[in-house]
Amino acid sequence: MNRMCVKKCALLLTAVLLAVVLSACDFLKVLPAYFTPETVTPYLEVVSDEVTYSEGYEPVTSAYSFDMLPLEGEKQLYSQLLDICYDIAPGKDADDGRYAMPQVKIEGYPLTEAQVRTVAKALTDDHPEIFWLTGTIGYYSDNEATVVQMYSGYSPEEIDARVSALRTAVNEFYATVPDGLSAFERQVRVHDFLIDNVTYDSNVDMVDLDKNDPDVFTVYGAMVNHVAVCEGYARAFQMLLNGLGVECVGLMGQSQDQMHMWNAVKQDDLWYQTDVTWDDQEQPYARHIYCNVSDEFMYQDHTLSPLFTELSDNEINGDDGDYNASVMNIFVPQCTDDRHSYYAQKAPRLSDFEAEELKSHLLTAAMEKEEYFVFYIDEGLDFDDTVSQLFAEYPQYFFGYLRDVDYSLPDYSIDSSNASYFTDDKSRIVAVELHYY
């Protein structure tokens, strides 16, 4: 980020990075070091009608980050910034080529740069549907007030066209969701829809972010272009679930030594973590490993970024340390339960070696000639010892299950000599690749 600080008559003038996790964020415009009337009139209102939500569910609005803001001045700034996000100048700024939004002035609250950055981060955390914001804002503060200016990367006409395309894509998905589904079933619907319809942009440049298409970091990229990186997946997951009445927030951190974004979902008053990006695997048996898991599970290979309350102002501003406003967290729920993990809920369960339930599901899979059969090993069994007794040590129970199922197949058989298997001890699943002859 290019940063400019001007000190004049005890007034602070600085560029502030908006909380966009991975998108390009070079500063291009600041407010003057004194109050001046706005000359851009009139602003044009965009998105006159909101995205239509599924009629069968009452939508929810994420406000968890807003609620975490400690000061009244921060909450006022958040609320006013949210209001002006829909008023866009009809023409580009002559200097930087972006579309200005009305200035917001908060009287009586001289907010610091770090506080403004935190408010901007909270706003984008709560509102993934506002995808047109640029990565920079102008900020001015003295002892009596704070003034903030935000910008759009698109004209009002472009925003309306993009929102119309997004609305169409969202409504087409909602039309496929029947009424009466549980929160868990709605979550799986959204999770699987994104995996089936979004391609991860493996060509994203993590060194020079300006080279990337900004859409891949947004809900628009995921839903309309069907191409995104982790941020696009996570923001689309949040927006779609909120529209189906399921509370969902984004989480920032790292995985595989890169910045990463995933989600937490609330069900039955308990929170669970989900990483749709990591579940977007070619192997069908690995599609739900990170769906509704606990903190203990997720943090084996994910690292959560600090809360804003754990960082100094210099760290939030990006002047010191390894974190800044764009990669910190505002709200992080505790996810201590794993009762609603996908495989614990959906996969056939092996509770003992008699395995009557397991054999019934295995027969169903074989009748449909499914390529993989995935089952869950009950917590009452030692995972490694059970896998060994199923496949390696006498009596190799699973091959007995295959023989039992074979007797019920009509005119073909399972090739038990060619049944390879895969295990994931974290999620307690075993996936068996089935071949037929």
Side-chain angles (χ1 to χ4, degrees):
M1 176 187 68
N2 297 326
R3 187 166 54 85
M4 179 189 303
C5 292
V6 178
K7 190 109 173 188
K8 181 177 181 181
C9 301
L11 302 182
L12 175 64
L13 179 64
T14 182
V16 178
L17 171 62
L18 189 62
V20 177
V21 177
L22 296 174
S23 55
C25 301
D26 286 340
F27 179 75
L28 295 177
K29 182 177 178 65
V30 295
L31 298 179
Y34 47 87
F35 293 117
T36 58
E38 294 182 272
T39 58
V40 179
T41 55
Y43 290 96
L44 300 181
E45 184 178 0
V46 299
V47 198
S48 55
D49 55 338
E50 297 179 355
V51 172
T52 302
Y53 296 103
S54 176
E55 294 182 358
Y57 302 96
E58 184 69 27
V60 295
T61 301
S62 293
Y64 285 100
S65 292
F66 171 82
D67 291 338
M68 292 299 294
L69 297 175
L71 300 178
E72 177 60 27
E74 293 173 311
K75 292 181 183 292
Q76 285 190 24
L77 178 60
Y78 175 111
S79 298
Q80 292 192 38
L81 289 177
L82 178 60
D83 287 341
I84 59 92
C85 281
Y86 300 93
D87 297 313
I88 315 295
K92 292 182 179 180
D93 184 275
D95 297 325
D96 58 43
R98 303 186 184 202
Y99 298 87
M101 299 176 184
Q103 294 177 11
V104 168
K105 183 178 181 181
I106 307 297
E107 297 279 6
Y109 294 101
L111 300 178
T112 67
E113 177 184 341
Q115 289 169 330
V116 173
R117 288 176 182 268
T118 300
V119 170
K121 165 71 170 170
L123 177 66
T124 55
D125 280 359
D126 286 345
H127 294 280
E129 74 279 6
I130 305 176
F131 58 82
W132 51 88
L133 298 178
T134 65
T136 57
I137 61 178
Y139 156 63
Y140 164 94
S141 182
D142 60 17
N143 292 329
E144 297 181 354
T146 299
V147 180
V148 173
Q149 177 121 43
M150 301 178 72
Y151 301 90
S152 166
Y154 306 102
S155 70
E157 294 79 12
E158 289 173 318
I159 294 173
D160 281 333
R162 282 171 162 256
V163 169
S164 178
L166 177 60
R167 183 184 297 113
T168 297
V170 169
N171 289 340
E172 287 177 354
F173 166 69
Y174 284 146
T176 69
V177 181
D179 296 347
L181 296 182
S182 68
F184 172 77
E185 291 169 329
R186 280 171 271 165
Q187 176 185 349
V188 173
R189 284 268 182 162
V190 175
H191 175 282
D192 292 357
F193 169 80
L194 292 174
I195 289 176
D196 290 338
N197 291 276
V198 181
T199 299
Y200 184 84
D201 186 1
S202 57
N203 296 318
V204 66
D205 192 325
M206 299 302 296
V207 178
D208 188 354
L209 296 175
D210 288 326
K211 292 182 178 180
N212 299 308
D213 178 358
D215 285 344
V216 301
F217 305 100
T218 69
V219 63
Y220 181 88
M223 294 299 297
V224 179
N225 298 337
H226 306 294
V227 178
V229 292
C230 60
E231 185 178 355
Y233 279 84
R235 295 193 184 281
F237 189 66
Q238 178 183 355
M239 192 188 85
L240 291 176
L241 276 182
N242 286 169
L244 290 172
V246 180
E247 295 185 89
C248 178
V249 298
L251 300 177
M252 277 301 308
Q254 290 187 338
S255 64
Q256 298 181 337
D257 297 322
Q258 291 186 346
M259 294 311 304
H260 188 52
M261 187 174 182
W262 63 98
N263 297 95
V265 182
K266 191 176 184 181
Q267 296 180 10
D268 298 330
D269 295 323
L270 296 172
W271 286 92
Y272 301 86
Q273 295 206 36
T274 294
D275 190 339
V276 183
T277 307
W278 272 40
D279 276 345
D280 191 0
Q281 303 290 332
E282 293 182 3
Q283 301 89 344
Y285 59 84
R287 282 168 53 104
H288 300 93
I289 288 178
Y290 292 90
C291 183
N292 266 25
V293 299
S294 65
D295 290 343
E296 180 181 4
F297 183 104
M298 188 66 79
Y299 297 149
Q300 293 182 55
D301 45 33
H302 289 57
T303 302
L304 189 71
S305 292
L307 285 167
F308 73 104
T309 52
E310 299 170 355
L311 299 176
S312 68
D313 281 9
N314 283 339
E315 288 175 313
I316 292 174
N317 296 339
D319 297 330
D320 186 28
D322 298 327
Y323 294 94
N324 57 54
S326 67
V327 294
M328 68 188 184
N329 286 294
I330 305 293
F331 169 76
V332 176
Q334 289 188 324
C335 306
T336 58
D337 189 82
D338 57 9
R339 285 177 293 174
H340 286 298
S341 67
Y342 178 86
Y343 292 112
Q345 289 283 299
K346 301 288 287 184
R349 183 178 292 258
L350 179 69
S351 301
D352 56 59
F353 289 111
E354 293 296 324
E356 294 304 322
E357 176 190 354
L358 190 75
K359 287 189 286 187
S360 175
H361 286 277
L362 179 57
L363 175 59
T364 300
M367 293 290 287
E368 297 178 2
K369 289 191 174 182
E370 293 183 1
E371 183 179 0
Y372 292 95
F373 177 67
V374 181
F375 62 94
Y376 183 89
I377 295 180
D378 190 84
E379 292 84 352
L381 299 174
D382 180 89
F383 185 85
D384 292 333
D385 181 65
T386 300
V387 169
S388 180
Q389 292 191 61
L390 287 171
F391 298 101
E393 298 180 5
Y394 181 81
Q396 296 179 299
Y397 286 106
F398 193 82
F399 295 100
Y401 306 156
L402 290 178
R403 288 191 295 270
D404 291 345
V405 166
D406 241 2
Y407 292 133
S408 301
L409 295 179
D411 54 1
Y412 58 93
S413 297
I414 302 173
D415 186 358
S416 58
S417 66
N418 191 22
S420 56
Y421 67 93
F422 312 88
T423 65
D424 187 86
D425 59 343
K426 286 200 312 175
S427 54
R428 303 190 65 82
I429 64 166
V430 178
V432 182
E433 186 175 11
L434 300 177
H435 300 271
Y436 307 92
Y437 66 91

